[in-house]
């Protein structure tokens, strides 16, 4: 719809933007460098952020930059993951068939893959790990879990703690510009005032920036307006943003 009206080659604020065209803020690039260090040194990292602040984007970009001939990435995303499905998921990604019971899957995983790891684990008397672990979650993961005394043993093993913050006003403008550049825009569609309002409404949360911009582009198309100002953004925020900014 609006893509043709604005002469865009791609839809600018969707989830399926190629990883190499995603906006890399300073903190994202810093986090990528730190995760690369974690991968190279086989360390344990924790990544936390508010909802919608770029955790999935970070992991997508990280995965796209990992040398495929050097690393095997196993990715499990499920907030209610049980031990049984943890083992089943790992086996599935490694091309192995998981049995129904957790115990069987665990033994199969150990038998099929950990035999080669055992030497790496033992040759330095358990002082070196053959793999990296990146635990990703919302702020509550740290505040309500890892900070508790009962999780002290896990917390003490964390080598890298990465926090993704919300974008500031300048980064919000760069974020919008990067997505519009991916779409192939030929002229500025959002005024500076519109970007101010987008930042205000979204509170610098990338997911909310996407929603606001997407709905505003649709509204501009419906109104046959080729330039989006702060009044249009405010109208969309007041009438289209069901559920608020969170």
């Amino acid at each position: 719809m609006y893509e043709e009206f604005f002469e865009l080659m791609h839809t600018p604020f969707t989830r399926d933007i190629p990883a190499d065209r995603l906006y890399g803020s300073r903190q994202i690039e810093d986090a990528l460098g730190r995760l690369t260090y974690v991968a190279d040194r086989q360390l344990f990292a924790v990544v936390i952020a508010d909802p919608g602040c770029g955790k999935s984007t970070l992991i997508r970009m990280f995965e796209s930059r990992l040398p495929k001939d050097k690393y095997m990435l196993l990715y499990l995303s499920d907030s209610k993951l049980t031990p049984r499905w943890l083992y089943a998921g790992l086996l599935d990604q490694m091309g192995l068939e998981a049995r129904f019971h957790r115990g069987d899957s665990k033994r199969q995983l150990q038998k099929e893959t950990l035999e080669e790891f055992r030497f790496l684990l033992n040759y330095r008397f358990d002082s070196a790990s053959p793999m990296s672990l990146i635990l990703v979650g919302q702020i509550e993961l740290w505040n309500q879990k890892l900070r508790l005394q009962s999780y002290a043993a896990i917390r003490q093993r964390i080598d890298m703690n990465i926090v993704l913050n919300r974008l500031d006003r300048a980064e919000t403008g760069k974020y919008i510009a990067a997505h519009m550049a991916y779409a192939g825009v030929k002229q500025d569609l959002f005024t500076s005032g519109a970007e101010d309002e987008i930042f205000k409404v979204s509170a610098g949360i990338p997911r909310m920036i996407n929603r606001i911009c997407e709905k505003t582009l649709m509204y501009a198309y419906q109104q046959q307006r080729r330039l989006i100002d702060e009044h249009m953004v405010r109208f969309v925020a007041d009438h289209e943003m069901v559920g608020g900014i969170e």
Side-chain angles (χ1 to χ4, degrees):
M1 289 185 174
Y2 68 77
E3 291 89 350
E4 183 176 354
F5 177 72
F6 289 112
E7 300 180 343
L8 304 180
M9 294 185 296
H10 305 287
T11 304
F13 297 99
T14 61
R15 295 182 179 181
D16 59 353
I17 295 177
D20 62 345
R21 298 301 301 274
L22 292 168
Y23 172 63
S25 64
R26 288 177 300 172
Q27 65 171 344
I28 287 289
E29 291 298 332
D30 176 70
L32 287 169
R34 298 172 74 186
L35 289 180
T36 299
Y37 180 83
V38 167
D40 288 342
R41 301 298 179 93
Q42 295 84 49
L43 303 178
F44 176 27
V46 173
V47 178
I48 57 175
D50 286 329
C53 281
K55 299 183 296 295
S56 297
T57 295
L58 173 64
I59 298 304
R60 281 187 62 201
M61 295 175 73
F62 176 60
E63 188 276 337
S64 71
R65 299 186 186 188
L66 279 177
K68 301 302 184 291
D69 60 343
K70 185 177 179 181
Y71 297 98
M72 173 186 288
L73 178 68
L74 304 179
Y75 176 71
L76 294 175
S77 176
D78 192 336
S79 60
K80 298 181 180 179
L81 190 69
T82 63
R84 178 177 124 192
W85 294 114
L86 168 65
Y87 294 118
L90 291 174
L91 287 166
D92 180 66
Q93 292 187 50
M94 299 178 75
L96 302 171
E97 181 181 357
R99 298 187 176 90
F100 184 79
H101 297 292
R102 169 192 167 194
D104 289 339
S105 294
K106 182 177 180 180
R107 285 190 293 272
Q108 186 180 357
L109 178 66
Q110 293 173 334
K111 179 179 179 180
E112 300 291 339
T113 64
L114 296 187
E115 286 297 329
E116 293 187 33
F117 292 162
R118 189 161 298 163
F119 170 75
L120 296 175
L121 287 169
N122 291 335
Y123 90 108
R124 288 185 180 175
F125 303 100
D126 294 331
S127 64
S129 171
M131 65 184 73
S132 303
L133 174 63
I134 302 172
L135 183 61
V136 183
Q138 297 181 11
I139 295 295
E140 289 77 7
L141 172 65
W142 183 266
N143 292 338
Q144 300 178 14
K145 294 287 186 181
L146 296 178
R147 290 182 62 181
L148 300 178
Q149 182 59 34
S150 57
Y151 290 93
I154 296 177
R155 187 172 61 249
Q156 292 166 4
R157 287 171 170 77
I158 297 173
D159 301 296
M160 193 80 70
N161 186 29
I162 300 172
V163 180
L164 297 180
N165 297 307
R166 303 182 183 198
L167 302 181
D168 61 23
R169 168 59 183 87
E171 290 170 331
T172 298
K174 293 177 181 178
Y175 181 92
I176 295 171
H179 281 251
M180 296 308 294
Y182 162 73
V185 67
K186 297 180 180 180
Q187 61 185 17
D188 291 337
L189 300 183
F190 294 88
T191 66
S192 179
E195 292 182 355
D196 289 340
E197 197 66 24
I198 291 169
F199 171 67
K200 179 181 177 181
V201 175
S202 69
I205 300 173
R207 182 185 297 160
M208 296 310 303
I209 296 172
N210 289 346
R211 289 185 58 198
I212 296 166
C213 289
E214 178 78 11
K215 291 178 180 295
T216 305
L217 285 167
M218 178 59 71
Y219 177 68
Y221 159 69
Q222 293 169 340
Q223 300 298 313
Q224 296 293 288
R225 299 275 297 276
R226 296 187 180 276
L227 186 64
I228 297 170
D229 61 22
E230 63 269 29
H231 303 293
M232 300 173 71
V233 175
R234 174 45 58 185
F235 179 88
V236 168
D238 291 340
H239 297 85
E240 304 270 344
M241 300 300 291
V242 178
I245 67 168
E246 296 290 349

